[in-house]
């Protein structure tokens, strides 16, 4: 009998991987990572086996080099038959020693595949797609760097992530994980950001209602699904490396059970915390949502640039 996988259990695999990669200490993975795990990555290639995965990722930490990793934009799905996937965005900083003075920055999309085995759920595949990197890339040991601002070109290695084939939304279309309404609302932002950032507009189109409207700087006001999807698709073509790191700050589910409001803060790489250690956000979204066909979709989206700290979010003003 397959033990059901909860959303929190699925996300714990992502957190264990993040902590192990960041610290270089992999003891916590002893029971959760399959010996036959596969690493499929844009920066280290394809590797097989737990030892190979650990060796490859451990190169990014040492006594002379500090790695700071932040994850966001989570989604978890299970098919009810022993397979699950969990995805996240990852932002990384590399600094000499243990000081917060990063000399290299990078961003990635992670997708983990989990399998139910006789002794519990195991991590069987780690997919890492590095979307951008900047700074002193000498600190990124044995990395194959991403294509850069021009995007993929003939002669570059084939992409390791093709969203229409690899997205957990596509791979597990009938998600059997029982998530609360608030968690589903939170995951609607993950679906939105993945769709636009991975150039998967078959997924992106599911994020808005037919009558959606909103403010989309620098594009201005847009109204209707066709106008929103078409305009953002054209806008995205010029920014192939963009990544919308978002943290839901407040979710309000209205009493009708089918409408909601979400405030989401946008993390800006290189400026994620202030000198007091508080999380900083460079902009926010105020999103109104409506549940249609089992999905929470944006009916209004307002993007507002402007810095604020976690202690002083805009919905308090």
């Amino acid at each position: 009998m397959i033990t059901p996988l909860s959303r929190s259990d699925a996300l714990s695999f992502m957190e264990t991987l993040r902590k192990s990669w960041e610290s270089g200490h992999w003891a916590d993975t002893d029971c959760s990572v399959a010996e036959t795990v596969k690493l499929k990555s844009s920066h280290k290639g394809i590797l097989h086996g737990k030892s190979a995965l650990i060796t490859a990722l451990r190169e990014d930490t040492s006594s002379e080099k500090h790695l700071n990793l932040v994850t966001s934009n989570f989604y978890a799905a299970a098919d009810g038959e022993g397979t699950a996937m969990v995805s996240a965005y990852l932002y990384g900083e590399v600094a000499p020693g243990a000081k917060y003075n990063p000399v290299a920055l990078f961003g990635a999309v992670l997708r983990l595949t989990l399998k139910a085995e006789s002794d519990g759920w195991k991590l069987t595949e780690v997919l890492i797609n590095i979307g951008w990197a900047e700074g002193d890339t000498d600190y990124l040991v044995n990395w194959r760097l991403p294509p850069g601002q021009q995007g993929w070109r003939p002669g570059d290695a084939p992409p390791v992530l093709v969203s229409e084939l690899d997205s957990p939304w596509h791979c597990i279309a009938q998600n059997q994980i029982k998530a609360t309404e608030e968690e589903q609302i939170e995951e609607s932002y993950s679906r939105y950001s993945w769709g636009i950032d991975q150039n998967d507009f078959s997924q992106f189109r599911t994020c808005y209602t037919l009558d959606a409207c909103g403010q989309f700087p620098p594009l201005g006001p847009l109204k209707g699904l066709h106008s929103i999807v078409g305009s953002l698709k054209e806008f995205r073509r010029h920014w192939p490396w963009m990544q919308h790191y978002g943290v839901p700050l407040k979710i309000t589910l209205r009493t009708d059970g089918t409408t909601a409001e979400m405030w989401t803060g946008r993390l800006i790489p290189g400026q994620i915390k202030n000198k007091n250690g508080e999380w900083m956000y460079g902009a926010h979204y105020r999103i109104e949502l409506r549940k249609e066909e089992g999905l929470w979709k944006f009916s209004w989206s307002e993007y507002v640039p402007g810095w604020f700290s976690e202690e002083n979010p805009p919905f308090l003003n």
Side-chain angles (χ1 to χ4, degrees):
M1 181 177 179
I2 298 171
T3 303
L5 185 72
S6 69
R7 183 175 185 269
S8 61
D9 287 341
L11 296 188
S12 72
F13 279 85
M14 184 66 71
E15 175 60 9
T16 297
L17 178 72
R18 185 202 66 80
K19 288 170 57 178
S20 300
W21 186 4
E22 179 182 75
S23 67
H25 303 304
W26 290 83
D28 288 345
T29 69
D30 283 348
C31 297
S32 60
V33 178
E35 291 296 330
T36 56
V37 66
K38 179 180 180 181
L39 172 64
K40 183 179 179 183
S41 66
S42 61
H43 65 310
K44 303 265 185 173
I46 296 176
L47 299 170
H48 296 270
K50 184 175 178 180
S51 177
L53 179 146
I54 291 174
T55 298
L57 296 185
R58 192 176 267 159
E59 289 180 320
D60 298 326
T61 57
S62 68
S63 58
E64 297 82 28
K65 187 170 58 176
H66 177 72
L67 183 63
N68 181 43
L69 300 177
V70 175
T71 48
S72 63
N73 303 50
F74 303 105
Y75 181 66
D79 64 2
E81 298 180 358
T83 299
M85 289 182 173
V86 56
S87 62
Y89 277 13
L90 179 137
Y91 164 60
E93 299 175 335
V94 186
K99 296 181 180 179
Y100 179 75
N101 184 24
V103 295
L105 312 176
F106 64 92
V109 177
L110 305 183
R111 193 209 69 188
L112 310 184
T113 301
L114 314 174
K115 295 286 188 180
E117 300 185 357
S118 58
D119 56 345
W121 285 87
K122 301 287 185 180
L123 175 60
T124 58
E125 183 181 74
V126 177
L127 189 156
I128 304 175
N129 187 66
I130 306 293
W132 59 271
E134 60 183 53
D136 188 348
T137 55
D138 287 343
Y139 281 85
L140 305 176
V141 178
N142 292 330
W143 280 39
R144 182 169 60 224
L145 296 174
Q149 296 184 358
Q150 81 280 355
W152 187 90
R153 291 182 175 181
D156 290 340
V160 301
L161 174 64
V162 179
S163 182
E164 293 85 349
L165 303 176
D166 301 317
S167 157
W169 289 272
H170 289 297
C171 292
I172 304 178
Q174 301 299 321
N175 188 0
Q176 301 301 307
I177 287 183
K178 296 187 182 303
T180 66
E181 295 295 340
E182 288 78 5
E183 289 169 340
Q184 293 175 50
I185 291 166
E186 176 181 332
E187 290 181 336
S188 70
Y189 182 84
S190 301
R191 189 170 82 251
Y192 152 84
S193 58
W194 180 297
I196 190 170
D197 294 340
Q198 311 313 314
N199 200 25
D200 184 351
F201 279 84
S202 63
Q203 175 164 309
F204 184 74
R205 69 182 297 275
T206 71
C207 298
Y208 292 90
T209 61
L210 281 172
D211 60 350
C213 54
Q215 298 290 336
F216 299 84
L219 303 179
L222 296 172
K223 184 176 182 179
L225 181 65
H226 193 280
S227 176
I228 292 171
V229 173
S231 298
L232 290 176
K233 184 176 182 179
E234 291 302 300
F235 177 73
R236 188 257 178 228
R237 288 192 306 116
H238 304 288
W239 309 91
W241 66 92
M242 69 180 175
Q243 202 165 12
H244 290 77
Y245 297 96
V247 178
L249 303 174
K250 182 181 179 182
I251 294 173
T252 303
L253 179 63
R254 299 200 173 100
T255 55
D256 60 16
T258 60
T259 59
E261 179 186 62
M262 174 168 57
W263 294 74
T264 300
R266 184 164 181 189
L267 293 171
I268 305 298
Q271 305 174 72
I272 60 173
K273 289 188 178 182
N274 62 20
K275 62 182 179 180
N276 298 321
E278 298 171 339
W279 289 97
M280 294 294 296
Y281 304 95
H284 74 270
Y285 297 81
R286 191 187 72 81
I287 301 166
E288 294 181 9
L289 305 99
R290 189 163 71 236
K291 193 169 188 178
E292 295 182 350
E293 301 170 332
L295 286 178
W296 284 98
K297 300 182 180 182
F298 301 177
S299 57
W300 169 268
S301 180
E302 179 180 0
Y303 182 77
V304 183
W307 286 93
F308 62 95
S309 73
E310 62 178 325
E311 301 298 324
N312 188 34
F315 51 80
L316 293 182
N317 299 325

